[in-house]
Amino acid sequence: KNGFTFYYPKNSRSDAGYLILSAANSKSNGFPLVELWDLNAQKKIHTYDFNYKEIFKKYNIDKKKFRLIHPLILNDGSLIVNTLTGIKNTVFKFDKCGKLIKSIDKFRTHHSLEIDEDGNIYSPTYLKRKDINKNAILHPVNFLHDGFIIFDKNLKVKESFSLLDIYEANNLYSDIYGNQRLINDPFHLNDVQPLKSSKGKKYVLLSLKGHSRLMLIRLEDLKVIWLIDRATLLQHDVDIIGFKEDFI
């Protein structure tokens, strides 16, 4: 049978929280499905009712490739989602009923969406090749200029960051330019996890699948505080459980 298998009795864990589920709906031609589950009561409490006809009419979308990735639910029940549309990557915002509010496709966002305590949202993105500041001629034509963006709940982009710039600022260029032949996807950034210290300094923890690398960066000066290589293999989503103030 489909569904979940729980190892604890219903209503026995008041702090179990909720689960946002993104899947393919077998009852709707495999189109994306987003549900909210109460893990204490062990039941579905909400399903977002997306108007796919409206979405497909408004956007040039390959229906067979349309996916809703890493949904992020806001306090008012609205939903911000990364999408793959077959043509370009787009961020959609839906209200709590599933009605499309707005979207942005200026940046090719992908993988995760994470939110900080100030309400800013972080996502990996592919920047444009023409924006490579140095050594552009060294990269293959299909080089993925990896970075991340920060935007607000209204999908207004506040800042963008290039991993090439971060690597240059921290003398890490040799990690990507040390090979005789450059590959097109040396970073493969798949998660940007925000962190704020008690002193108000902002950091991001990056997960780089390409190097099997975790890297903590201070945003104000793009300084790499530390990095961990080869402790993991092809990792994706990274979560911060706790940290020591004196460590950063």
Side-chain angles (χ1 to χ4, degrees):
K1 295 182 180 180
N2 60 3
F4 299 101
T5 299
F6 293 92
Y7 62 87
Y8 54 91
K10 290 183 179 180
N11 302 311
S12 65
R13 294 184 59 183
S14 59
D15 61 345
Y18 300 86
L19 173 74
I20 305 171
L21 175 69
S22 178
N25 189 352
S26 60
K27 297 180 180 179
S28 183
N29 297 317
F31 289 154
L33 170 74
V34 177
E35 297 175 340
L36 182 64
W37 283 72
D38 184 328
L39 296 182
N40 181 39
Q42 300 181 9
K43 66 178 182 179
K44 179 178 65 177
I45 58 176
H46 184 64
T47 299
Y48 287 85
D49 185 18
F50 302 115
N51 186 337
Y52 292 112
K53 289 184 178 180
E54 176 190 6
I55 297 172
F56 295 152
K57 182 178 180 181
K58 189 171 183 178
Y59 299 89
N60 186 15
I61 290 177
D62 183 341
K63 298 179 182 179
K64 295 180 179 180
K65 296 181 179 179
F66 182 59
R67 296 168 59 195
L68 298 179
I69 302 171
H70 207 290
L72 176 67
I73 190 170
L74 303 181
N75 290 337
D76 61 358
S78 60
L79 204 67
I80 294 179
V81 192
N82 260 333
T83 70
L84 289 179
T85 62
I87 302 297
K88 62 176 66 173
N89 299 34
T90 307
V91 177
F92 285 156
K93 182 175 183 179
F94 300 94
D95 68 13
K96 62 183 179 181
C97 296
K99 181 180 179 181
L100 180 62
I101 300 175
K102 64 188 306 185
S103 67
I104 55 170
D105 58 11
K106 180 180 179 181
F107 291 90
R108 294 176 59 200
T109 56
H110 55 90
H111 283 89
S112 66
L113 291 167
E114 304 287 354
I115 190 168
D116 67 16
E117 59 186 65
D118 298 319
N120 298 309
I121 300 167
Y122 300 67
S123 179
T125 188
Y126 298 125
L127 302 169
K128 295 180 180 179
R129 181 185 173 89
K130 68 179 182 62
D131 294 329
I132 299 176
N133 295 328
K134 294 182 179 179
N135 303 318
I137 196 173
L138 297 177
H139 298 282
V141 175
N142 59 344
F143 176 75
L144 295 175
H145 185 194
D146 235 329
F148 60 94
I149 60 172
I150 303 174
F151 56 95
D152 64 21
K153 295 178 182 179
N154 296 314
L155 306 190
K156 182 179 180 181
V157 177
K158 304 175 75 171
E159 292 183 274
S160 64
F161 301 87
S162 162
L163 285 185
L164 284 176
D165 292 345
I166 292 172
Y167 269 49
E168 179 185 15
N170 291 275
N171 297 317
L172 295 172
Y173 253 4
S174 60
D175 288 1
I176 52 176
Y177 292 119
N179 300 320
Q180 184 176 2
R181 182 180 180 183
L182 289 172
I183 60 175
N184 69 317
D185 187 17
F187 302 112
H188 200 103
L189 177 65
N190 51 41
D191 193 23
V192 184
Q193 186 75 43
L195 170 67
K196 189 176 183 180
S197 72
S198 62
K199 298 177 181 178
K201 291 188 179 295
K202 293 185 176 183
Y203 301 82
V204 288
L205 179 61
L206 305 183
S207 171
L208 305 173
K209 175 185 174 183
H211 294 154
S212 293
R213 170 176 290 176
L214 303 176
M215 187 161 62
L216 184 71
I217 297 171
R218 187 168 58 215
L219 281 181
E220 64 180 5
D221 55 6
L222 300 184
K223 179 177 176 56
V224 174
I225 305 302
W226 53 255
L227 56 84
I228 301 173
D229 283 346
R230 294 179 291 277
T232 57
L233 177 64
L234 306 180
Q235 80 290 331
H236 274 68
D237 189 27
V238 177
D239 292 312
I240 298 170
I241 299 175
F243 67 95
K244 295 181 179 180
E245 290 286 342
D246 57 354
F247 191 61
I248 57 174

